[in-house]
Amino acid sequence: MESLKFGAASNRLTIRTGVAVDDTLSIVERKGLGHPDTMADHLAESLSQSYSAYTLERFGAILHHNFDKLALLGGASEVRYGGGRMTSPVRVLVNGRATRSCGAEEVPVDTLVKSTVRQFFLERLPEVVEHLDIRLNVTENSSPGAVLIDNRVPERTRWFSPRSIEDLRERRTLLANDTSLGTGWAPRGPLEELVRKLTDTYSAPGVFTRNNPWCGNDVKVMGYWDGLQLDLVMCVPQKSVHVRNLEDYRRNTEIVLAECRRLVDHRFPHANVSIRLNARDVPSRDELYLTYTGSSIESGDEGVVGRGNRVNGLITPLRPMNLEGASGKNPVYHVGKLYNLVADRLAHQLHEATGGYAEVHLVSVTGQPLDQPGRVVLRLAAEEVQPDKIQSLVADALSSIPDLTDEIVREGVHLS
C-alpha cells in the first residue's frame, strides 16, 4: 500500500493505492418509496427544492433555509379485506429554518410548505392527503456567533433576514457551513444492484406496480451474500381495498416471490438462495402486511430525515458510510449535502479512471472555502495511478459545486 501526498494542496490531499478490498461478503439494505424514512427524506428535499426555486426566481438568489430535521408521525387506520380507512391523521412536523422576507418583500413560507407537503403526498401516498396534520416549526433565528457590540448589527443576524440579496455572504464567496464529511465509493456490486432493483420493482411506478395495483410502496429489502449463499428478507405490503380475502393475499405473495426469483436467477444463477417475504405474517390469525394506504405510516410508524438510505440510495454497513441527513439541506453551501454528492460522483469517476475500487472522503472545515476541504482522502485498489489525472479529477469535482447546486434546484437530484 502506498500513500501519496502531492500538489499545491499537498497538506490536504492524500491518496492511498493498493488498498485491499474484501468483496467476498456483502450486506445491503434499501428502503422503498413508501417507507416513512424515505418519505421524510424525499419530502424534506422537495421542500428545499420548492423554496429554492421560488426564491431564486423571485429574488435571483436562493435564500437561507434548511428543512433537514423534518419528521413524520404515523397516524392510525382500520384495515379489512376489501376495504379500510384512516382513523387518525399523519402528523408532518416541518422543523427547520427559512428566510421569511428579503428587504420589504415577504416570502410565503407557510403557504409554500403546506402546498408542497400536500402535492408530495398526492403523488406518493394519495390516500393520506385528506388525513394530514401539518405542523410548522420553522424559525428564522440566526446562527451562533452574532456578538453585539455597541449599536452595530452583526452581519450574521442578517443571514435569515437580509435587507437584499447582497447581505448573502455566499454571493461573495462560498464557505462551508459546518465541519462534516462526504463519503462515496464505487463500483456497486451485484448485491447492491439486486437490492436496488428489487426494492424499486415493488415500490416505484413501473410495469409490476401497474399490473398489480394491490402492491403497496412501503417496501424494504435486506440482502446478504457470501459468494455461495444469498439471503433476502423482504417486506412488501398489500393494499387492503384490492385484497378480498386471505386467498387473494397468498396469491399475491406468490406473484411477488415469482418476480423476485426471476430477478435473482438473472443475477445470481448459481447461488444457494433463501427468500423470506413478510416474515412477521401469521396467516392463521390474519396478521398480515395488509395496509389501507400501502405504507406503515398509516398505523403509528414514524419517519425521520437521515435514518434511511444514504445519498447513493443504499444502506451498506460493510462499505464506508456517514450519518449525514443530506435531504432538505441548503443546496448552496451545506456540506452535508454537497460533499456527499460530490464524493459519490468522484468515486465513480476514479473507478472508471483506475479500473478498480475507489473510495472518497471529503472533510470540511466550517467557515473555510467550500471548494477547499480540510482533507481529501482517496483510497484506491489500483497499485499504480497517474497523479496528475487524479488531481485533475478532484479539482474538477470540487469546482463543479455551483453547477451541482443548479442541478439540484432546476432538475432535481435523487437523494436516497
Side-chain angles (χ1 to χ4, degrees):
M1 178 185 295
E2 183 178 4
S3 182
L4 305 175
K5 293 186 178 183
F6 52 81
S10 61
N11 64 326
R12 293 187 286 113
L13 173 60
T14 299
I15 299 178
R16 289 201 170 183
T17 59
V19 174
V21 180
D22 182 6
D23 57 2
T24 61
L25 183 65
S26 298
I27 299 174
V28 183
E29 180 183 0
R30 177 165 168 80
K31 297 177 180 180
L33 293 181
H35 191 286
D37 289 332
T38 305
M39 288 199 294
D41 280 336
H42 291 185
L43 177 54
E45 188 60 15
S46 294
L47 289 171
S48 175
Q49 290 177 2
S50 296
Y51 181 89
S52 297
Y54 178 91
T55 58
L56 184 61
E57 180 179 359
R58 186 66 194 86
F59 303 103
I62 297 172
L63 300 184
H64 291 185
H65 70 278
N66 57 274
F67 298 106
D68 57 323
K69 305 301 188 295
L70 181 144
L72 303 175
L73 304 184
S77 64
E78 291 179 354
V79 177
R80 295 180 174 83
Y81 290 120
R85 66 187 183 101
M86 294 290 300
T87 59
S88 182
V90 172
R91 282 176 289 169
V92 182
L93 306 185
V94 183
N95 308 315
R97 290 185 289 175
T99 301
R100 291 182 173 273
S101 64
C102 184
E105 183 168 348
E106 292 188 359
V107 180
V109 174
D110 293 0
T111 300
L112 189 63
V113 166
K114 289 179 179 179
S115 63
T116 301
V117 169
R118 293 189 179 280
Q119 184 61 35
F120 175 85
F121 274 94
L122 182 63
E123 296 172 1
R124 186 67 58 90
L125 216 61
E127 294 88 350
V128 175
V129 171
E130 300 303 321
H131 305 277
L132 292 172
D133 179 6
I134 304 172
R135 311 279 182 94
L136 302 184
N137 304 307
V138 182
T139 76
E140 48 187 334
N141 298 334
S142 64
S143 299
V147 179
L148 299 175
I149 300 176
D150 300 326
N151 294 322
R152 286 178 291 174
V153 177
E155 177 192 33
R156 195 166 297 207
T157 63
R158 299 196 186 281
W159 287 3
F160 282 86
S161 57
R163 294 164 296 185
S164 72
I165 60 173
E166 300 310 315
D167 277 339
L168 304 179
R169 185 177 63 178
E170 61 271 21
R171 288 180 61 80
R172 299 185 292 275
T173 180
L174 282 174
L175 302 178
N177 77 303
D178 196 3
T179 298
S180 186
L181 74 158
T183 300
W185 56 272
R188 308 286 184 259
L191 184 61
E192 282 91 17
E193 297 297 343
L194 174 64
V195 168
R196 177 185 291 275
K197 180 64 176 178
L198 284 170
T199 308
D200 292 352
T201 294
Y202 303 127
S203 78
V207 174
F208 186 89
T209 52
R210 283 196 300 272
N211 291 339
N212 300 286
W214 47 262
C215 189
N217 58 7
D218 187 359
V219 174
K220 185 162 75 169
V221 178
M222 177 75 75
Y224 166 94
W225 169 242
D226 62 12
L228 294 174
Q229 181 66 39
L230 172 65
D231 293 341
L232 293 170
V233 180
M234 304 192 303
C235 295
V236 180
Q238 296 182 30
K239 300 176 75 170
S240 58
V241 294
H242 299 284
V243 180
R244 296 168 298 176
N245 48 47
L246 181 58
E247 287 68 31
D248 275 0
Y249 184 88
R250 285 173 166 158
R251 188 181 307 112
N252 295 339
T253 60
E254 288 303 317
I255 293 173
V256 172
L257 289 169
E259 181 65 9
C260 180
R261 294 187 191 102
R262 185 185 72 81
L263 293 171
V264 168
D265 289 345
H266 178 68
R267 291 166 173 79
F268 292 83
H270 305 297
N272 297 318
V273 181
S274 169
I275 304 172
R276 300 184 66 186
L277 174 62
N278 297 345
R280 289 177 57 180
D281 281 2
V282 185
S284 62
R285 296 203 297 264
D286 290 294
E287 294 180 7
L288 311 168
Y289 196 10
L290 189 65
T291 65
Y292 170 61
T293 66
S295 172
S296 61
I297 197 71
E298 73 178 41
S299 53
D301 203 359
E302 299 87 11
V304 180
V305 170
R307 286 176 48 92
N309 308 322
R310 302 298 87 195
V311 163
N312 65 5
L314 301 168
I315 301 169
T316 51
L318 301 186
R319 297 293 192 193
M321 297 195 305
N322 68 59
L323 300 180
E324 278 287 353
S327 298
K329 293 186 184 299
N330 188 312
V332 179
Y333 56 86
H334 276 208
V335 289
K337 169 178 284 183
L338 296 168
Y339 274 20
N340 276 291
L341 286 168
V342 170
D344 184 65
R345 294 184 177 191
L346 179 56
H348 284 277
Q349 293 169 352
L350 291 169
H351 162 62
E352 293 177 4
T354 64
Y357 174 80
E359 190 176 298
V360 177
H361 302 274
L362 306 176
V363 185
S364 68
V365 177
T366 186
Q368 298 305 299
L370 193 60
D371 63 351
Q372 299 176 31
R375 294 284 178 180
V376 177
V377 177
L378 311 181
R379 301 178 73 244
L380 307 173
E383 295 287 347
E384 297 182 2
V385 299
Q386 301 177 40
D388 291 345
K389 185 174 183 178
I390 299 301
Q391 202 167 16
S392 177
L393 287 172
V394 173
D396 289 346
L398 293 172
S399 66
S400 71
I401 287 177
D403 295 332
L404 180 56
T405 298
D406 186 68
E407 181 183 347
I408 292 169
V409 176
R410 298 188 186 279
E411 302 176 24
V413 173
H414 289 291
L415 300 176
S416 80

